[in-house]
Amino acid sequence: MKVTIVGAGNVGATCADVISYRGIASEVVLLDIKEGFAEGKAMDIMQCATNTGFNTKVTGVTNDYSKTANSDVVVITSGIPRKPGMTREELIGINAGIVKTVAENVLVHSPNTIVVVVSNPMDTMTYLALKSTGLPKNRIIGMGGALDSSRFRYYLSQALDKPSNDVSAMVIGGHGDTTMIPLTRLASYNGIPVSEFLSQEELDKVAASTMVGGATLTGLLGTSAWYAPGASVAYLVDSILNDQKKMIACSVFLEGEYGQNDICIGVPCIIGKNGVEEILDITLNDSEKALFAKSADAVRNMNADLKSVLA
Ligand SMILES: NC(=O)C1=CN([C@@H]2O[C@H](COP(=O)(O)OP(=O)(O)OC[C@H]3O[C@@H](n4cnc5c(N)ncnc54)[C@H](O)[C@@H]3O)[C@@H](O)[C@H]2O)C=CC1
Ligand SMILES: O=C([O-])CC(=O)C(=O)O
C-alpha cells in the first residue's frame, strides 16, 4: 500500500515517521516544494529502520508528482502553520491556493486515491478540495477530530489522574478554537460517565482547554504542534489502508446529517478501505444541537471566502 504525503514539514514528516515505524504502509512518498527538503526527511526516517525495525520504503521528492503515482492515500499537509496569537482561519489566504493546486496535481497521477486534508483552516480546505476536484464525498476526509478527541482524552485523563487510553471521548464540530464541541456528556472512564468523578466546573475546564489545545501548543512552541497531529493522521490512514472501520470524528461532506448541507465539518464516521463508509448521525441534546448549528455557521462563513478560489 502506498501513501503520499504532500508537505514534508513538521506534520507531514512526523506522519511519515509514524506510518513507517508502525508498518502501516509498504511505501511512503514525501513531496515538498523546498528543494531537497523531502529527500532529506525521507533519508533521515529511513536511517531509523534498523533501530526501530521497520521495512517501509520512504522516499522524498521535490515537486515531482509522477513519483506519487498510484497512491492509495494522499495526505495534504502543505501550507503555512499559524504563529502564536493567530487563528487557523487567518491561514486561508495562502493555504487555499496551495491546497487547490496540490489536490489537482495528486489526482492526475492517483485518480483513485483517498485524500486526507490536514492544512488549515482544515474544514474549509476539505470543502475546497472536494469542490475543486469533484471527487465523491467518501474520498475526501478532513483530519481534525481525531486530534481534538485525543487532546480531549488527554485533558480528561489529567483531570481524572488516570491513563488516556482508559478514557473514551469525542470532539465534533469545526476544527477551530471556538467551533469545537467536546462531547462531555458522552465521555467515559472505562464505560463509567466521567461526571461520576469530575464536577461540572472541572468538566467545563477540560472542555475549554481542549478547544484551545492547538493554540496553547502554538504559544509554547512558536509554531503549531506536530507530534499528535502526525500521529492522528497516521491513525486515520491506518483505518483506511487496513480497512479497520474505526469510528473517528472526521470533517466530511454533509447532506442532511445533523441538519446540515453543503459543508464539511467534524462528525463521527466509520473509516475503512472506501474512505468514509458511514456517517453516524447520533442524537444530540438541545444544547449540543445549538452548538453544532453555531459551529456550522462559522465554518460556512469561512467557506464563503473561497468564492474567488473556486470561481
Ligand atoms: N488539521 C489539523 O489537525 C492540523 C493542521 N495543521 C496544519 O497543517 C499545515 C502544515 O503544518 P506544519 O507541518 O506544522 O507546517 P510546516 O511549515 O512545518 O510544513 C509545511 C510544508 O509545506 C510545504 N509546502 C508549502 N507549499 C507547498 C506546495 N505547494 N507543495 C508542496 N509542499 C508545500 C512547505 O515547504 C513546508 O515544508 C498547516 O496549515 C497547519 O496549520 C497542523 C496541525 C494539525
Ligand atoms: O493549532 C494549529 O494551528 C494546528 C492545529 O490545527 C492543531 O494543532 O490543532
Side-chain angles (χ1 to χ4, degrees):
M1 291 288 195
K2 177 170 174 177
V3 178
T4 286
I5 301 170
V6 183
N10 286 336
V11 177
T14 305
C15 176
D17 192 33
V18 176
I19 288 178
S20 327
Y21 77 65
R22 291 198 42 223
I24 291 169
S26 51
E27 188 178 355
V28 175
V29 177
L30 272 169
L31 183 147
D32 204 285
I33 38 163
K34 253 187 267 170
E35 189 69 43
F37 190 61
E39 288 85 339
K41 290 284 181 99
M43 195 186 286
D44 194 11
I45 292 170
M46 281 303 278
Q47 290 170 1
C48 298
T50 53
N51 290 323
T52 58
F54 70 78
N55 295 300
T56 300
K57 180 183 171 199
V58 187
T59 52
V61 291
T62 304
N63 229 17
D64 179 1
Y65 281 86
S66 69
K67 297 290 192 319
T68 70
N70 303 318
S71 292
D72 298 288
V73 174
V74 172
V75 178
I76 303 180
T77 75
S78 46
I80 55 161
R82 63 172 156 168
K83 296 237 178 304
M86 289 173 78
T87 65
R88 297 176 180 87
E89 287 75 10
E90 288 174 66
L91 306 172
I92 190 171
I94 295 179
N95 287 355
I98 295 175
V99 169
K100 181 168 183 276
T101 311
V102 166
E104 287 164 358
N105 284 343
V106 290
L107 284 172
V108 171
H109 299 276
S110 301
N112 301 316
T113 196
I114 292 169
V115 176
V116 175
V117 180
V118 180
S119 311
N120 274 316
M122 182 279 292
D123 299 289
T124 297
M125 294 301 100
T126 306
Y127 181 81
L128 168 64
L130 184 96
K131 290 287 167 180
S132 62
T133 61
L135 273 188
K137 62 177 186 169
N138 61 306
R139 286 170 50 202
I140 299 262
I141 310 175
M143 196 297 293
L147 172 63
D148 301 332
S149 301
S150 72
R151 287 186 178 142
F152 188 23
R153 292 170 70 189
Y154 161 80
Y155 281 114
L156 281 168
S157 81
Q158 296 288 301
L160 290 162
D161 194 22
K162 298 288 184 299
S164 294
N165 282 311
D166 277 357
V167 177
S168 174
M170 183 172 281
V171 175
I172 61 170
H175 179 62
D177 296 343
T178 57
T179 56
M180 275 176 220
I181 308 164
L183 289 175
T184 307
R185 178 179 62 93
L186 302 176
S188 71
Y189 168 54
N190 273 338
I192 305 164
V194 288
S195 54
E196 290 281 332
F197 310 101
L198 299 172
S199 66
Q200 192 55 48
E201 195 187 336
E202 287 168 314
L203 289 172
D204 290 346
K205 194 162 167 255
V206 163
S209 302
T210 301
M211 292 174 74
V212 295
T216 300
L217 287 163
T218 304
L220 292 169
L221 298 167
T223 184
S224 58
W226 57 89
Y227 292 115
S232 303
V233 181
Y235 180 76
L236 182 57
V237 171
D238 195 10
S239 197
I240 300 169
L241 289 186
N242 296 306
D243 197 26
Q244 289 170 339
K245 305 202 190 294
K246 285 200 171 113
M247 196 229 282
I248 304 175
C250 295
S251 185
V252 295
F253 191 69
L254 299 188
E255 288 176 303
E257 300 89 348
Y258 296 87
Q260 297 294 331
N261 279 292
D262 195 34
I263 190 169
C264 292
I265 190 166
V267 292
C269 299
I270 302 300
I271 303 293
K273 65 176 184 314
N274 300 309
V276 184
E277 302 202 340
E278 194 183 341
I279 294 172
L280 303 181
D281 198 354
I282 62 166
T283 307
L284 300 179
N285 67 22
D286 286 347
S287 78
E288 291 157 353
K289 272 186 197 155
L291 286 173
F292 196 89
K294 195 167 158 236
S295 178
D297 283 348
V299 171
R300 199 170 273 110
N301 274 343
M302 186 86 274
N303 292 352
D305 280 14
L306 294 173
K307 272 205 184 87
S308 60
V309 195
L310 282 171

